[in-house]
Amino acid sequence: MNIELIQGDILEKTCDLLTLYQFKDAKRLTGITAAADEEMAGAISALIEQKSFEGKLGENMVFPTFGKMKARSVALIGLGDKKKFNADVVRKIGGYMVKLSREHKMRSVATNLPGVETASLPARESAQALTEGLLLAGHQFHIYKGAQFKKEKKPRELGQVFILETDKRALKFGPEGLETGCVLAEATMLARDLVNTPSADMTPAQLVEEAQKLAVRGSNISCKILDQKAMERMGMNAALSVARGSQHAPVGAHLIYRPKNSKKTVAIVGKAVTFDSGGLSLKQANSMETMKIDMAGAASVIGLFKALTVLKPEVTVHGIFLAVENMPGGSAYRPGDVVTAMDGTTIEIKNTDAEGRVTLADALVYANKQKPDLMIDLATLTGACVVALGEDIAGLMTNNQKLGQKLLTAARETGEQLWELPLYEPYMEPIKSKIADINNTGGREAGAIKGALFLKPFVGETAWAHLDIAGPSYAEKETRPDQPCGGTGYGVRLLAKFLMSL
Ligand code: BES
Ligand code: MN
Ligand code: ZN
């Protein structure tokens, strides 16, 4: 999809579809919509009355122009409540545009920057959000479709978007937003593709290779590979034990982004279980079906680094993951085994399906050795978090309220849902082990919190936030127009926003 921001009158643009916007319960047509109505001899206002168009968010009406305008047809799209209007609404509008064009087989669309004419949103933000919405909604994953699919004529997709503006400020700041939107959408789509790729192909070695691809010469990114020997040398016996049942050797990646001026150092750790069968504590068939997504944390770390090279925040960022596959097998780790993490902590394995935290123990200890000012981990850690918050919302657990608030603010701005759960210490009781330092599980209740409490000792005194993304990293059904089913790339834009705000 090609998106261009150009100077000019939208009503004069030749295209398949011209989009006009209307807030909810607006008394009368204003601005460009009114001008278009005039050219159409009042047809738009008549239709609004007749069809009782209310302007609810995403509500739309498409009608032909019968040669009265340069555009072949016009779409009137509702912006919803004026008081609730923000960048995330614009992102959804971008998504609706893609879906509308698909439905009506339109290939070129002309639009203004939503919210700019009414001064509801700065041009830069509107352009960024619209671009994100358009590209993310248009993203498809069909590399695994067969020859027949590829031979068939593709359904007509939106190929060209013209954003027309006449306002000086919009023309000055819009293009910057468009550029940022492109970068963030592409980074998010990379994370989605990695998650969508079947585990047979997205092996630990492959995942590490995907990280390595970002460390090109001339970029400010480097990538260190932690192969099995290196992991053994460093004493990462917790992570190594999870991998023992698999044919695939464990391997880690340590990405570093170094800007010219660095104000802070941040470490971001991703869970990277390329397939989670549960191990000897085998999962039921239906729970295993989507477990290729169990490396979504690492996928988002990789996506984030793709964006960092362009966004260039003034913080040093370490991106770390230890990739393993959790399988049953003759040499698999067992319930009852005791494994020793890199910092010497002994872990009694109660359930081999609580493997994410066992691998993260070593990853967090390793990350903390980089002496970061703060650490964040992203992990598809618990089904319990999905039970607590549902599929759309990630759980935030932190030992530092200031850090937590900053992440919640970033999430609000990017439209990624995030909600805090308490790191309630008394729940630590059942994960105390009789024979080792700590158990890897401790009962069904408050599973998301117990998962986070398990991780807590491994970060020491460092400010740390744990994001349990088991729910929102994968969309079973479409809940937003800019998010097709499958991997979502949750966390890429949120973390980019957070790092830019430091
Ligand atoms: N990868 C799963 C968590 C998960 C569940 C992610 C659903 C995405 C969707 C994790 O490794 C796991 O199996 N957790 C167990 C923990 C339990 C054994 C304490 C769970 O949630 O059941
Ligand atoms: Mn598991
Ligand atoms: Zn898992």
Side-chain angles (χ1 to χ4, degrees), residues 210-241:
E210 298 291 341
Q212 217 183 356
K213 280 184 195 166
L214 299 176
V216 288
R217 225 192 295 178
S219 77
N220 32 23
I221 290 184
S222 65
C223 181
K224 216 187 307 177
I225 292 180
L226 313 171
D227 62 16
Q228 186 168 348
K229 283 232 168 67
M231 289 173 73
E232 280 163 4
R233 226 178 303 120
M234 285 186 281
M236 293 178 165
N237 290 309
L240 286 166
S241 66

Side-chain angles (χ1 to χ4, degrees), residues 241-262:
S241 66
V242 174
R244 280 208 327 252
S246 170
Q247 298 291 316
H248 296 290
V251 55
H254 177 179
L255 287 156
I256 309 176
Y257 160 80
R258 279 189 207 286
K260 281 208 186 73
N261 302 311
S262 179

Side-chain angles (χ1 to χ4, degrees), residues 271 273 276-278 281 283 287 290-291 293-294 326 351-357 379-386 391 440-444 447 468-471 473-474:
K271 173 173 169 181
V273 176
D276 181 12
S277 69
S281 313
K283 283 184 187 294
S287 319
T290 55
M291 278 305 129
I293 71 151
D294 218 16
N326 186 24
N351 187 322
T352 63
D353 197 12
E355 83 298 337
R357 62 198 72 181
T380 46
L381 203 69
T382 67
C385 198
V386 191
E391 297 221 303
N440 80 329
T441 59
R444 287 185 60 230
D468 193 329
I469 59 169
S473 62
Y474 184 80

